[in-house]
Amino acid sequence: MKLTKFVDKLPIISTLEPTKKSNHLTYYEVVMKESWHKLHRDLPPTRLWGYNGQFPGPTIDVSEGELTHVKWLNELPPKLILPLDTSIHHLDQMPQTRTVTHVHGSVTKPDSDGYPEAWFTRGFQETGPDFSREVYEYPNNQRAATLWYHDHAMGITRLNVYAGLVGMYIIRGEEEKALQLPSGEYEIPLVICDRTLNPDGSLYYPSGPDEPIPGAPTPSIVPAYLGEAILVNGKAWPYIDVEPRKYRFRLLNASNTRTYRLSVNEDVPLYQIGSDGGLLRKSIPTRQIVMEPAERIDIVIDFSEFEGKSMIINNDLGVDADPEDQTNNIMQFKVTKPLKKKDTSRIPKHLTHIPSLKQNSIKTIRNLKLVGSEDAFGRPLLLLNNQLWHDPITEKPQLGDTEIWSLINVTNFTHPIHLHLVQFQVLDRQPFDLEKYNEDGSIIYTDAPISPAENEKSWKDTLAAPSAQVTRVIAKFEPFTGDYVWHCHILEHEDYDMMRPFTIVEKEDPETS
Ligand code: C2O
Ligand code: CU
Ligand code: CU
C-alpha cells in the first residue's frame, strides 16, 4: 500500500518516570501490553505490543553510576499477533507469549541481562529454564551512551520486536554535559525501523518464504525480512518542524534486517559525535552514515543556514529504480520554527579520550566463522562456527582477559555481530578469496587489512562483518562472570540459529594450575 510521505508529525518519545527514587536506587516498572496506534494519517490503527503500551517504549534516562532496578511485567495476550514457526527450538512445547528484556549495551550481571531462556509469560506464570529474578538490576557503571532495550525471548525475538517491543535507554555523564552539545528539546532520539502495513492497518509479517520449500513447516521462519514502510518513532515517514539552530539526534536502527545508508539531500552540515558505546574521540563531519541493525549513531545537525527550507534524510540503499520501493526516504526536516533564543550549543572538535585496548596483552585469539548451511527441511540455517545455540559452550574467556575475535564471514552477505556485556574496539577487516574457500576451505587473503572507518574508531557493541572478509575486534571481558550471548543482530538470523552463549569464567590461579 502506497502511503503519502511526510504528512505525520514526528512523535517525541516520552521519558519514563521512576516508580520510586531514593539517593541510592531508582526503581521503574514497565508493563508490556497490547495497544493500538495510528502509524500513518491514512491508515486505521495498528495492533501492536509495546512497553507501557507505547511504540517505541518510553525512554529510560539515567546517569552514570545510578543504580537502577526495573521490573519488566508481561501483560500481553496469550497468542502472538504474527505467524509463529513452532518447528524451531521446540517452540511447539512452549507457551506462545514469552518475553525477556535485554538492555542492549548494558554492563550488568547475567541474571539481569535478558538471557534468551530466562523468559517469562504473563504474570510470571510460566518461566524459562534460566529465569531467576523478576526485577532486573542495572548498575549503569559505564560510560554515558545511547543504549536500547528490546525483547530477547528464545526463537521469537524477531516477532516480539516486530510487534513493537523496543525502546531507548540513555545513560548520561558529566563529561558529556561539559561539552555543551544541543540538549533538552534540541536533543531528540530517533528510533528507525521498517514495517509492512496492510491496508486495514494491521502489521504484515511473512508466514514463510515467497517460494515455499516442499515439506517445510508452515508457518516457516524466513532468513531475512525487509518491511515496506520506514517508521521513525512509530510514524511512517514523519516530518519535524525545527528551528534554525543545532540539534542532536540519537539514531537507532531497530529494524529486524534492514541496513540504512543515511544522507541528507541538502548541503547541511552533519557531524557524528557518538556511536554504540558513547562519544567518539572527535566529531566527524560526514555526508553519509551506514547503520546496521542495532547500531546507534549520535549526530548533530546544524540547520542555522537553512531557514525556511526543508530537507529529507534519505536512505541510499533504498531502490530508487523500483517504483514499488518507497524506502529511499526516512523522514523530513522543515526549518519553519522561529529561533526561540540564541543557540549557545557547540559541536566541539575534540570530544573525549578513548584508551586503546591494543596495548593489553592478548590472552586468546578466537577464529569464529559465520557460515551458511541447511536444516533438515532444506531451509537456510545460518550459524556461528557451525554450532547450534544448544551445542555446548565453546567461548569461555577468563574474567579480565583481553581477547581478539576474528569473525570470518564465509556467507554471501554482511552480518551485524553483537556481543553482550562488552564494548569492543575494531582492529581491522581483511578480504579473502571466498571462491577458494568454497573449493577447499582455505583462507587466502587477497589484500592487506583495511582499517576501520573513522566512526568505528571508538567503543562498539555491534559491528558489520562483511562477506568474504575477516573482521577483527578486541575486547576485555569484565567485570562479571557468567553466561552471556553473542549473535547476529539480523533478528531472523539470531532466532535461527546465529546466536551462541559465551561464559566468562573466574581467572585461573597461576599457582594452582
Ligand atoms: Cu540487541 Cu542480544 O541484543
Ligand atoms: Cu545486546
Ligand atoms: Cu546474520
Side-chain angles (χ1 to χ4, degrees):
M1 152 150 204
K2 197 154 179 176
L3 295 167
T4 313
K5 292 175 176 174
F6 319 129
V7 294
D8 288 284
K9 231 191 178 92
L10 174 83
I12 302 298
I13 305 169
S14 63
T15 301
L16 187 63
E17 287 299 326
T19 312
K20 274 187 268 175
K21 187 168 172 138
S22 70
N23 280 339
H24 57 274
L25 180 69
T26 309
Y27 175 76
Y28 296 96
E29 282 181 1
V30 181
V31 185
M32 295 169 244
K33 290 193 270 212
E34 184 166 293
S35 56
W36 297 75
H37 295 273
K38 260 181 90 68
L39 303 184
H40 185 272
R41 181 192 71 185
D42 300 332
L43 281 178
T46 303
R47 174 160 51 151
L48 295 168
W49 287 5
Y51 294 100
N52 279 0
Q54 293 172 229
F55 171 64
T59 300
I60 296 181
D61 200 314
V62 297
S63 300
E64 278 178 17
E66 178 178 354
L67 178 64
T68 300
H69 286 186
V70 184
K71 188 169 192 177
W72 304 97
L73 295 143
N74 175 341
E75 288 182 11
L76 293 163
K79 293 257 175 263
L80 290 179
I81 57 175
L82 298 166
L84 172 68
D85 179 343
T86 55
S87 73
I88 63 169
H89 293 289
H90 307 291
L91 296 189
D92 52 337
Q93 294 153 35
M94 279 186 220
Q96 276 208 4
T97 302
R98 294 170 292 116
T99 58
V100 58
T101 310
H102 166 59
V103 177
H104 180 127
S106 174
V107 179
T108 188
K109 286 188 183 149
D111 62 1
S112 293
D113 191 49
Y115 201 72
E117 289 173 313
W119 51 263
F120 52 92
T121 62
R122 191 183 173 104
F124 301 104
Q125 275 165 12
E126 288 177 83
T127 55
D130 287 281
F131 176 88
S132 64
R133 56 191 297 164
E134 293 184 0
V135 177
Y136 271 20
E137 176 171 304
Y138 306 99
N140 298 313
N141 272 323
Q142 58 185 105
R143 298 181 86 215
T146 307
L147 314 184
W148 64 299
Y149 60 93
H150 60 81
D151 189 72
H152 217 303
M154 196 69 219
I156 51 171
T157 295
R158 70 192 183 291
L159 305 175
N160 284 350
V161 168
Y162 194 86
L165 292 173
V166 296
M168 281 273 197
Y169 188 110
I170 295 174
I171 302 179
R172 297 180 187 276
E174 291 303 318
E175 186 194 23
E176 190 180 294
K177 219 188 249 164
L179 294 174
Q180 290 173 268
L181 297 162
S183 63
E185 62 176 305
Y186 306 110
E187 180 203 318
I188 303 175
L190 300 175
V191 177
I192 304 171
C193 62
D194 58 345
R195 296 288 184 271
T196 300
L197 303 164
N198 293 314
D200 68 357
S202 59
L203 277 184
Y204 170 83
Y205 188 87
S207 56
D210 290 341
E211 284 178 39
I213 298 170
T218 37
S220 184
I221 186 168
V222 292
Y225 185 63
L226 299 173
E228 291 171 6
I230 307 298
L231 277 57
V232 186
N233 293 358
K235 289 281 184 198
W237 297 290
Y239 73 88
I240 179 176
D241 291 307
V242 294
E243 296 177 29
R245 54 159 291 146
K246 294 189 271 311
Y247 280 77
R248 175 182 187 178
F249 297 100
R250 297 179 187 252
L251 276 54
L252 157 68
N253 179 0
S255 309
N256 280 28
T257 294
R258 186 180 290 278
T259 298
Y260 302 85
R261 194 165 70 217
L262 312 175
S263 66
V264 182
N265 70 335
E266 287 273 348
D267 207 11
V268 52
L270 205 137
Y271 298 87
Q272 185 173 348
I273 55 166
S275 66
D276 302 342
L279 289 175
L280 305 175
R281 290 188 172 93
K282 290 182 284 192
S283 50
I284 305 172
T286 181
R287 306 279 324 162
Q288 258 189 350
I289 301 172
V290 176
M291 274 191 99
E292 298 284 335
E295 282 189 307
R296 283 88 70 211
I297 299 284
D298 206 335
I299 56 172
V300 175
I301 303 183
D302 188 355
F303 298 109
S304 57
E305 304 291 315
F306 292 82
E307 213 169 332
K309 291 221 166 98
S310 67
M311 58 208 72
I312 294 167
I313 308 190
N314 289 315
N315 167 30
D316 303 335
L317 301 180
V319 190
D320 276 325
D322 177 358
E324 295 298 310
D325 187 304
Q326 297 295 306
T327 62
N328 56 333
N329 305 128
I330 294 176
M331 64 172 287
Q332 186 188 42
F333 300 112
K334 296 192 208 173
V335 193
T336 48
K337 283 186 165 175
L339 187 64
K340 251 196 249 167
K341 51 177 191 290
K342 191 166 179 273
D343 180 9
T344 53
S345 68
R346 301 173 52 231
I347 313 174
K349 194 164 168 24
H350 175 81
L351 298 169
T352 189
H353 172 72
I354 297 177
S356 165
L357 292 181
K358 276 193 231 173
Q359 273 71 52
N360 293 10
S361 71
I362 309 300
K363 286 293 156 56
T364 308
I365 298 177
R366 299 180 193 274
N367 291 316
L368 302 155
K369 267 184 201 156
L370 321 181
V371 294
S373 70
E374 270 184 10
D375 72 1
F377 303 106
R379 300 183 293 182
L381 175 64
L382 290 150
L383 298 174
L384 301 171
N385 246 6
N386 267 316
Q387 285 155 323
L388 299 168
W389 163 255
H390 280 115
D391 286 330
I393 301 184
T394 42
E395 274 54 65
K396 299 177 184 170
Q398 288 182 27
L399 184 65
D401 276 4
T402 302
E403 300 196 347
I404 291 176
W405 288 28
S406 292
L407 307 164
I408 308 165
N409 185 349
V410 300
T411 73
N412 292 318
F413 28 82
T414 298
H415 298 276
I417 298 298
H418 168 49
L419 272 67
H420 283 212
L421 185 72
V422 295
Q423 293 286 333
F424 50 74
Q425 291 175 357
V426 193
L427 292 176
D428 50 35
R429 295 187 177 88
Q430 190 166 15
F432 64 88
D433 187 343
L434 184 54
E435 240 169 78
K436 181 93 169 79
Y437 172 84
N438 287 330
E439 276 164 30
D440 62 11
S442 63
I443 300 283
I444 308 293
Y445 290 112
T446 53
D447 220 326
I450 307 160
S451 339
E454 265 324 294
N455 68 353
E456 293 177 327
K457 291 179 184 166
S458 63
W459 296 107
K460 295 281 295 164
D461 59 40
T462 309
L463 182 74
S467 167
Q469 293 187 24
V470 175
T471 300
R472 296 195 312 144
V473 301
I474 184 169
K476 186 165 189 210
F477 291 84
E478 57 178 12
F480 304 118
T481 57
D483 292 349
Y484 294 93
V485 305
W486 68 289
H487 56 88
C488 174
H489 222 290
I490 292 178
L491 301 182
E492 285 73 16
H493 295 182
E494 168 180 344
D495 275 346
Y496 191 53
D497 220 35
M498 213 171 191
M499 176 165 73
R500 288 281 296 155
F502 72 89
T503 188
I504 301 179
V505 297
E506 285 298 346
K507 192 123 198 117
E508 268 169 38
D509 187 347
E511 306 281 293
T512 58
S513 64

